[in-house]
Amino acid sequence: MARYILRRVGTMLLALFFIVSATFFMLKAIPGGPFASEKKLPPSIEENITKKYHLDDPWYIQYRDYLIRTAEFDLGPSYRYEGRTVNDIIADGFPVSAQLGFVTVLISIVTGISLGTIAALNRNKFHDYFAMILATLGFSVPSFIVAFILMYIFAYKLRLLPPALWGTWKHLVLPAVSLSFVPTAVIARLIRSNMVEVLQQDYIKTAKAKGLKKTIVIYRHALRNAITPVVIYLGPLVTGIFTGSFVIEHIFAIPGLGRHFVMSIQNRDYTVILGITVFYSLFLMTMNLAVDIMLTVIDPRVQLVDEKR
Amino acid sequence: MNLYFLIFMIGIALLTAGCSQKQDDLKNGEQVITYNLGAEPETLDPATATGKAEATVQMAVFEGLTRLDKDNKPVPGMAKDWEISDDGTRYTFHLRDAKWSNGEPVTAYDFEYAWKRLLSPETGAYYAYQLWYIKNGKEYTDGNVSADEVGVRAIDDKTLEVELIAPTPYFLSLTAFSGLYPVNQNIVQSNPDWHTGVDTYVGNGPFKLAEWKHNQKLVLLKNPNYWAADDVKLDKIVMTMAESRNTELTMFETGQIDIAEEVPAQEIKRLLDEGTASIHPDLSSYFSVFNTDNDFLKDKRVRRALAMAINRQSLIDNVAQGFQKPAYAFVPNGVPGINGDFREEGGDYFQENVERARELLAQAGYPNGDGAPTLELMYDNRGDHQKLVEAIQEMWKSNLNIDVKLKKQEWGVYLKSLFNGDYQIAMAGWNADYVDAMTFLDMWVSDSGNNVAGWRNSEYDRLIEIAKTSFDNKKRIAAMHDAEKILLNEMPFMPIYFYTNVNMYKPWVKGVVVPTIGGFQEFRWAYVEK
């Protein structure tokens, strides 16, 4: 297993190198720059600015410097936000997005699994249809529409919750609920389809025949086996949600990381684009590895082995 | 989702019931305003900052030699008075006894240092050109002369002498601009990142920075060391950074903020009726620029026909909805003329007239639009152009029988196309850098980097040169009137409207000044009255 993990980490670093390189050259290819504006600057001022940020260095020097700094975990200064480094921006934004993400994932898992289980146990009955219609709705309505509806009802009409900003748990409720609609729906459907399959397996019949209580049959035997795809789904879900959603952060004015994914591109803030790409990739690959390891715990049939052997 | 969600929501409802959302700050009589700044400031360093959010914060934290009052007139700030030489090129400012927020005295040396810092090639300041009116200012930025040769000098602690290249009637109002604020030399030299931290961000203005949570909020407190602190009524300003306009409106209506800007267009009428919104003129112009290198558009008659064939008031009433002013010239209202307002003096330079437009088009060889090529109208993805360009497209089609293709480009791509002349017609805007017609007119001279129309006119260049070097203000402004007349006769662009700012204020917010430049919120004289 140790050897397997080591190998995976090795592949991760290689992938990271390719991601960084590809992003770097793509950035160089897009028109515009971090200091472009509708007012054309006099040439000498433009030169001074370019020099200040070392953007006048040849590309291979910039590329080399960037690779070296990234290897040292220094993602460089932001071009747009003077005096702030990309490390600062991630350190400021990620905890916020992660906090919101954690609550979102929690809501999604609890509601998703409950909904899926209820549906599976009542297959083709009213409960099932109702739950699955809800799941389909949750999956197909975009989060920003959910966000506006929730904001309108709970903040504008009922005045129960603040419409935006960040700070207390109250600020967390609306964005977390808005964000949880899609993952809840996905988890519910995954659980349902797997439960339906698992419930027909011989070992469930055996468990029932042994006279085990229904709850034990469901939780210990059926659910545990049906949960594998959900765990696999958690890898990308956690990465996506913990690193923030642009739309939700924009609507609720949340100081998370999500906005930087979009705004840094609009701003041509090269170092921020690269930095958060590196961060995201690293996070995604680590989560996927964590999920693979977690699977061995949940499902004894899964074993991590070095493919070469 | 059904049961759990319901329980969850009921739980929240119970928990929040009874918790009042009202601000309790005001209970103890504290004067507080919460304002949505709308963006995270990119930097608070006066030398390198460029945007609106940045200038708003700096205006509260710093003070230049002068400050603009509610009529946009420069009034004494750090300078208690000044003398101007007879030829208008030498200014001597006498500073008042004022302190930095850390208690140190503000001296003329701080000004000299700050201005040279703005000009220095090493600072790489975007707005360095705002000091190129000073002798050797440009040469210093270009790296051709040393700092000692720049025409700004502190004679002693309290006297600052400035030497200009030419008489610049708007120089005094320029000293109220954020790039020309003084900085505390000791602080800046000892810490290059001084402008990022609350403790080192030392200013000389009515407020001081107390808290800065990135992308979240900024808190300013009254600065007891400000020279006129007795006259500053506000104790605290909280600035939030919500970027979405719809969210901002909800925040305003639910009492999270007291001031909001950029009201969604469809809501403006309702809010004006309610009395919470107000319209503020802005020194900026919205127009479509024509690429005069284009075979079709190089004919002046075609350009004039296009300009006459749209209905500006209808665009404003039905699309933009911000009570903008239809433009039949380039320089907006609000800059000085010979005796009164430059725009009032100049008047309109053309009228909308579809019949006349059709005639012009026929004279150019395209009767009823026959033989005219399909035009491409380019715009960017940042502003609110979409509905407006669709309306213009429709007007040109129905009035002139000219087909227009709309071309939306991402901001960076748009700028590249614009400056490379890789477009036919482009939507563009221009805002003033200072309160004078020159800030609008000099962008159309032949060697201006901002003249993207490819239009050249030697008579126009000559008039602008006269205005720039003239020692006689009357002659200067007359030359600018003549120049604008040529511009609007030739029409390298088609004016659409002069911008406004639509802001919302809670009824208890008083005394906030909105300068016509930049549309900032100036809190120096603001207070709360409940």
Side-chain angles (χ1 to χ4, degrees):
Chain A
M1 176 122 148
R3 197 186 150 130
Y4 172 82
I5 291 173
L6 214 65
R7 202 182 149 77
R8 281 284 292 265
V9 172
T11 346
M12 264 163 68
L13 291 177
L14 194 69
L16 210 57
F17 170 76
F18 282 112
I19 291 167
V20 169
S21 305
T23 318
F24 183 90
F25 291 112
M26 276 193 279
L27 287 183
K28 291 285 147 194
I30 52 174
F35 311 107
S37 95
E38 68 271 37
K39 291 194 176 176
K40 184 88 176 165
L41 285 173
S44 63
I45 293 182
E46 219 165 63
E47 256 168 54
N48 291 338
I49 295 176
T50 324
K51 208 178 283 171
K52 180 174 161 189
Y53 287 97
H54 304 287
L55 285 168
D56 57 343
D57 291 345
W59 67 267
Y60 48 88
I61 301 281
Q62 291 186 38
Y63 179 57
R64 187 200 65 191
D65 289 354
Y66 189 76
L67 284 183
I68 293 172
R69 273 186 301 155
T70 309
E72 293 166 349
F73 290 104
D74 169 13
L75 298 170
S78 162
Y79 290 130
R80 199 74 179 193
Y81 299 101
E82 214 176 74
R84 287 179 81 189
T85 64
V86 180
N87 295 43
D88 290 340
I89 287 176
I90 294 174
D92 282 340
F94 180 63
V96 172
S97 293
Q99 197 185 343
L100 175 60
F102 179 76
V103 177
T104 306
V105 171
L106 213 64
I107 296 175
S108 313
I109 291 177
V110 172
T111 26
I113 290 181
S114 317
L115 217 58
T117 313
I118 292 169
L121 294 179
N122 301 286
R123 189 148 75 107
N124 294 339
K125 286 187 207 150
F126 171 75
H127 289 79
D128 182 22
Y129 292 133
F130 186 71
M132 282 308 111
I133 286 171
L134 271 186
T136 312
L137 266 177
F139 189 75
S140 41
V141 179
S143 61
F144 68 90
I145 293 189
V146 175
F148 277 125
I149 293 173
L150 291 181
M151 192 197 281
Y152 181 76
I153 298 174
F154 292 97
Y156 185 72
K157 279 284 161 196
L158 302 176
R159 304 280 162 112
L160 287 175
L161 293 163
L165 303 182
W166 188 249
T168 66
W169 66 268
K170 281 190 207 164
H171 295 100
L172 213 138
V173 178
L174 293 182
V177 173
S178 316
L179 268 177
S180 66
F181 270 51
V182 171
T184 301
V186 173
I187 292 173
R189 291 166 68 112
L190 282 174
I191 288 283
R192 181 191 175 274
S193 60
N194 277 282
M195 278 285 259
V196 165
E197 205 183 300
V198 168
L199 284 173
Q200 290 164 338
Q201 298 290 323
D202 289 342
Y203 58 82
I204 297 293
K205 281 182 198 154
T206 315
K208 280 183 184 163
K210 276 202 300 191
L212 286 178
K213 269 199 267 176
K214 199 183 171 193
T215 45
I216 294 184
V217 176
I218 292 165
Y219 285 107
R220 195 170 293 167
H221 297 277
L223 194 57
R224 183 155 180 183
N225 283 293
I227 214 160
T228 317
V230 174
V231 174
I232 294 172
Y233 172 62
L234 277 182
L237 174 71
V238 167
T239 318
I241 287 201
F242 275 49
T243 47
S245 145
F246 169 71
V247 176
I248 292 298
E249 288 179 8
H250 182 74
I251 293 174
F252 292 106
I254 294 165
L257 196 58
R259 71 177 298 282
H260 295 290
F261 281 90
V262 177
M263 292 318 291
S264 61
I265 296 173
Q266 168 107 27
N267 293 339
R268 304 288 194 271
D269 199 339
Y270 297 136
T271 42
V272 176
I273 304 175
L274 278 163
I276 54 180
T277 307
V278 169
F279 180 74
Y280 184 86
S281 319
L282 205 62
F283 194 54
L284 179 65
M285 291 189 286
T286 314
M287 280 314 297
N288 282 342
L289 181 60
V291 163
D292 288 350
I293 294 169
M294 220 152 85
L295 280 181
T296 61
V297 179
I298 295 172
D299 190 340
R301 286 170 305 180
V302 176
Q303 276 191 336
L304 298 176
V305 280
D306 205 329
E307 300 117 64
K308 272 203 170 163
R309 263 200 289 173
Chain B
M1 218 174 303
N2 46 8
L3 193 63
Y4 280 88
F5 185 68
L6 207 67
I7 291 170
F8 185 66
M9 278 301 158
I10 290 169
I12 286 163
L14 288 175
L15 277 165
T16 44
C19 301
S20 111
Q21 290 278 322
K22 287 198 192 88
Q23 294 177 350
D24 20 36
D25 293 330
L26 278 168
K27 276 179 197 152
N28 45 27
E30 212 185 5
Q31 291 262 324
V32 188
I33 287 179
T34 307
Y35 157 61
N36 185 33
L37 191 60
E40 157 86 1
E42 291 173 1
T43 175
L44 289 179
D45 183 346
T48 48
T50 56
K52 178 175 174 178
E54 293 76 8
T56 304
V57 178
Q58 289 169 356
M59 194 174 274
V61 175
F62 285 92
E63 182 161 289
L65 290 169
T66 63
R67 227 181 157 86
L68 296 184
D69 67 1
K70 62 181 189 340
D71 304 316
N72 292 297
K73 294 274 180 300
V75 293
M78 281 296 112
K80 62 177 195 281
D81 50 40
W82 49 81
E83 290 126 34
I84 307 170
S85 68
D86 291 340
D87 66 356
T89 58
R90 191 178 290 269
Y91 284 66
T92 311
F93 292 96
H94 302 287
L95 270 58
R96 70 174 78 246
D97 291 320
K99 281 183 186 158
W100 291 102
S101 54
N102 66 358
E104 292 170 14
V106 180
T107 69
Y109 296 99
D110 290 325
F111 275 93
E112 184 187 335
Y113 174 73
W115 289 16
K116 287 181 175 169
R117 183 167 172 266
L118 177 71
L119 286 169
S120 162
E122 272 143 49
T123 311
Y126 179 99
Y127 272 130
Y129 66 85
Q130 287 279 42
L131 268 180
W132 285 3
Y133 309 97
I134 294 189
K135 203 180 135 201
N136 280 331
K138 181 175 189 302
E139 287 71 13
Y140 180 43
T141 308
D142 290 352
N144 297 332
V145 303
S146 74
D148 298 335
E149 291 171 73
V150 177
V152 54
R153 198 160 60 97
I155 308 284
D156 55 44
D157 272 359
K158 296 286 165 209
T159 318
L160 186 74
E161 206 173 72
V162 182
E163 212 179 323
L164 304 181
I165 302 166
T168 312
Y170 46 89
F171 185 70
L172 272 183
S173 62
L174 216 55
T175 62
F177 164 78
S178 59
L180 273 63
Y181 290 155
V183 291
N184 185 314
Q185 192 172 351
N186 299 333
I187 294 279
V188 177
Q189 280 178 332
S190 61
N191 180 3
D193 282 334
W194 65 282
H195 53 86
T196 58
V198 168
D199 298 327
T200 48
Y201 193 57
V202 170
N204 63 334
F207 302 93
K208 60 177 185 188
L209 185 64
E211 190 183 349
W212 185 4
K213 279 191 178 164
H214 292 296
N215 291 102
Q216 190 172 354
K217 73 170 178 184
L218 220 140
V219 179
L220 302 177
L221 294 178
K222 181 174 167 169
N223 172 14
N225 281 325
Y226 180 55
W227 68 272
D230 294 345
D231 191 35
V232 176
K233 298 184 190 102
L234 221 51
D235 296 308
K236 188 175 170 184
I237 308 167
V238 182
M239 296 182 175
T240 57
M241 301 175 189
E243 290 170 343
S244 155
R245 289 182 191 188
N246 291 308
T247 302
E248 186 185 56
L249 182 59
T250 312
M251 287 167 75
F252 180 80
E253 299 199 282
T254 56
Q256 261 192 325
I257 51 174
D258 303 320
I259 306 177
E261 295 161 340
E262 305 203 38
V263 185
Q266 66 276 14
E267 304 284 349
I268 293 174
K269 269 191 184 121
R270 171 174 73 83
L271 294 160
L272 279 172
D273 292 342
E274 282 175 13
T276 42
S278 51
I279 310 277
H280 306 263
D282 192 279
L283 275 189
S284 49
S285 216
Y286 186 48
F287 55 94
S288 305
V289 55
F290 299 123
N291 188 342
T292 58
D293 291 332
N294 178 286
D295 281 341
F296 181 62
L297 295 167
K298 74 180 175 201
D299 190 325
K300 175 174 116 182
R301 292 168 296 192
V302 169
R303 302 198 295 265
R304 291 187 64 87
L306 290 170
M308 287 174 167
I310 64 165
N311 184 340
R312 288 164 181 77
Q313 196 60 55
S314 157
L315 288 177
I316 292 165
D317 292 345
N318 301 313
V319 186
Q321 299 183 7
F323 293 82
Q324 292 88 346
K325 193 169 187 296
Y328 304 96
F330 191 53
V331 181
N333 296 68
V335 299
I338 295 172
N339 295 312
D341 185 84
F342 185 88
R343 181 74 281 117
E344 306 273 304
E345 284 172 14
D348 292 348
Y349 283 108
F350 69 99
Q351 281 98 41
E352 286 160 9
N353 186 336
V354 177
E355 282 313 308
R356 179 82 189 111
R358 285 188 188 136
E359 275 171 41
L360 281 169
L361 201 61
Q363 282 169 21
Y366 311 98
N368 191 31
D370 293 341
T374 299
L375 291 173
E376 227 174 50
L377 180 57
M378 179 179 85
Y379 59 105
D380 67 82
N381 67 339
R382 281 206 330 186
D384 275 339
H385 306 288
Q386 183 74 40
K387 286 184 183 151
L388 208 105
V389 290
E390 282 169 7
I392 292 176
Q393 176 189 40
E394 202 276 325
M395 286 173 182
W396 279 341
K397 177 68 189 167
S398 61
N399 292 342
L400 300 176
N401 193 26
I402 288 179
D403 289 306
V404 179
K405 214 167 71 191
L406 302 180
K407 191 173 168 190
K408 183 175 187 169
Q409 292 197 331
E410 194 269 346
W411 178 241
V413 183
Y414 161 87
L415 288 176
K416 193 183 176 196
S417 310
L418 189 71
F419 288 115
N420 287 348
D422 188 12
Y423 72 96
Q424 295 181 1
I425 307 177
M427 305 305 287
W430 189 258
N431 60 318
D433 281 336
Y434 46 88
V435 190
D436 193 83
M438 187 57 83
T439 187
F440 289 93
L441 296 174
D442 79 346
M443 75 175 276
W444 298 108
V445 298
S446 298
D447 60 355
S448 159
N450 286 304
N451 180 354
V452 291
W455 174 78
R456 306 276 182 271
N457 187 299
S458 54
E459 179 59 12
Y460 186 82
D461 293 352
R462 195 183 65 84
L463 288 165
I464 295 298
E465 193 55 33
I466 289 175
K468 276 190 173 170
T469 49
S470 177
F471 285 63
D472 175 2
N473 197 43
K474 221 178 236 173
K475 196 175 156 197
R476 199 180 78 85
I477 289 176
M480 290 197 289
H481 276 308
D482 292 345
E484 197 188 23
K485 195 175 172 184
I486 294 178
L487 195 61
L488 269 298
N489 180 43
E490 291 275 328
M491 284 200 188
F493 63 91
M494 165 184 99
I496 300 172
Y497 56 65
F498 302 132
Y499 283 98
T500 52
N501 291 304
V502 184
N503 298 343
M504 292 185 284
Y505 299 93
K506 288 289 183 190
W508 55 81
V509 174
K510 311 273 184 196
V512 178
V513 172
V514 183
T516 51
I517 278 199
F520 321 116
Q521 309 289 329
E522 155 75 289
F523 292 104
R524 159 73 174 79
W525 295 281
Y527 60 99
V528 172
E529 192 177 80
K530 279 203 171 167

